Structures are given as structure tokens and as C-alpha cells.
Amino acid sequence: MNNVRVLNLKNISDEKGNLTPIEATRDIPFEIKRVYYLYNVPQNQTRGYHAHKELQQLLVCINGSVEILCEDENGEKQTYLLDRADKGLFVGSMVWHEMMNFSKDCVLVVFASEYYNEIDYIRNYDDFLQLSNIKRQGSMYA
Ligand code: TYD
């Protein structure tokens, strides 16, 4: 998969419980400008259905579980199960992603490299395929 990686985060575990730290540019490959979280997602609700032109994100399910289907600009697809607070999914630019099977208690925290910017979204799947094609051809002839 291009631009998607599972990151095993530190888990400092002792008799007091667990602690997972995330340091920008050290534990994850970007500076963090924004954090948001998804929670109370109704049963069978899916979300996402977009890619980003530039944005890089780290998704961490800190409670419950959720599945993330990713498709990169080469058309490769993979589904990732996020079910641990010490497992992150890095999703870089040009990755179409769909979120599904949210457990009732799911809390999905997302660390993002940029402020919210609707202009950076690719919300139409055909636009994503077309842009992916252009990017692929660009890199072939570069
Ligand atoms: P959206 O990214 O479409 O959610 P999802 O892909 O999870 O279904 O965002 C939903 C709404 O929230 C949309 O109106 C934009 C708004 N929003 C913000 O205002 N700030 C943010 O940081 C994010 C991620 C979304």
C-alpha cells in the first residue's frame, strides 16, 4: 500500500495501567496541527468516502473498534482493523478511505498535519481515480 502504514505506538504498561505517548515528528511522521475524534457513531453508519490531496493523518482507535478500508493511487486496497489504543494507522495523501463497523463504544482519534480545509478533500470517487491516474503517469515519466 502506498502512503498507508500501521504504526505500533509505545505502550508504557505497569500496575498503574497503560500510557501511550504520541510525539509529533518522532512517533509520527508529521507536525500535528489539528486533532479531532469520532464517537457515538450509530450502528451500521459508514463515514469517510474521500481522499486528501495533501493532508497526512494518524488514526488511533482509543476505545472499541473500527475498520478502515484504504485504496491507494495504484488501486491497491486493504482493510485495517483498529482495535487497540497503541495501534495507529498512518493515512497519507491520495488514499481513498472508508470507515465502517464502528463498535458502539468506538472512539477514533485523528491527528492531522493541517487545519481543516475543505479544498483539500477529494469527495468524488471518479475524481480520485482520475487524479490517481494523472499522478501515476506523472511519476512514470518524471
Ligand atoms: P467529514 O470529514 O466529511 O467526516 P467523515 O469523513 O468522518 O464522514 O466531516 C464532517 C463534517 O465535519 C463536515 O461538515 C466538515 C466538518 N469538519 C470540521 O469542521 N473540522 C474538521 O476537522 C473535520 C474533520 C470535519
Side-chain angles (χ1 to χ4, degrees):
M1 286 292 293
N2 206 19
N3 254 352
V4 182
R5 278 198 306 287
V6 173
L7 296 184
N8 294 313
L9 304 167
K10 281 175 211 150
N11 180 348
I12 303 164
S13 169
D14 60 23
E15 63 286 351
K16 295 182 291 181
N18 297 329
L19 185 154
T20 291
I22 297 178
E23 295 191 1
T25 75
R26 293 180 174 175
D27 299 307
I28 62 173
F30 56 85
E31 290 283 4
I32 298 163
K33 278 204 180 157
R34 174 168 54 111
V35 178
Y36 62 93
Y37 29 98
L38 304 178
Y39 53 106
N40 286 342
V41 178
Q43 193 105 53
N44 297 319
Q45 178 66 54
T46 55
R47 303 192 61 134
Y49 295 89
H50 62 253
H52 289 281
K53 294 174 197 157
E54 300 290 344
L55 189 70
Q56 305 180 78
Q57 303 193 95
L58 180 83
L59 285 62
V60 186
C61 183
I62 60 165
N63 198 60
S65 63
V66 61
E67 286 180 329
I68 319 288
L69 168 66
C70 295
E71 177 176 346
D72 69 15
E73 64 184 26
N74 300 318
E76 198 178 327
K77 290 183 195 173
Q78 195 160 328
T79 300
Y80 299 88
L81 173 67
L82 296 184
D83 60 352
R84 301 172 57 104
D86 60 0
K87 180 175 176 181
L89 185 68
F90 170 80
V91 178
S93 60
M94 290 304 288
V95 175
W96 184 265
H97 53 283
E98 302 174 4
M99 296 172 263
M100 59 200 70
N101 297 329
F102 287 86
S103 64
K104 196 172 164 25
D105 57 351
C106 175
V107 180
L108 181 65
V109 181
V110 183
F111 301 86
S113 64
E114 300 296 336
Y115 297 124
Y116 173 73
N117 178 11
E118 187 58 39
I119 301 295
D120 187 67
Y121 278 74
I122 306 165
R123 290 195 183 271
N124 180 292
Y125 185 63
D126 289 332
D127 290 348
F128 170 72
L129 294 180
Q130 214 175 352
L131 260 173
S132 297
N133 255 322
I134 292 167
K135 290 221 169 204
R136 267 209 312 274
Q137 284 171 8
S139 57
M140 259 194 297
Y141 299 117

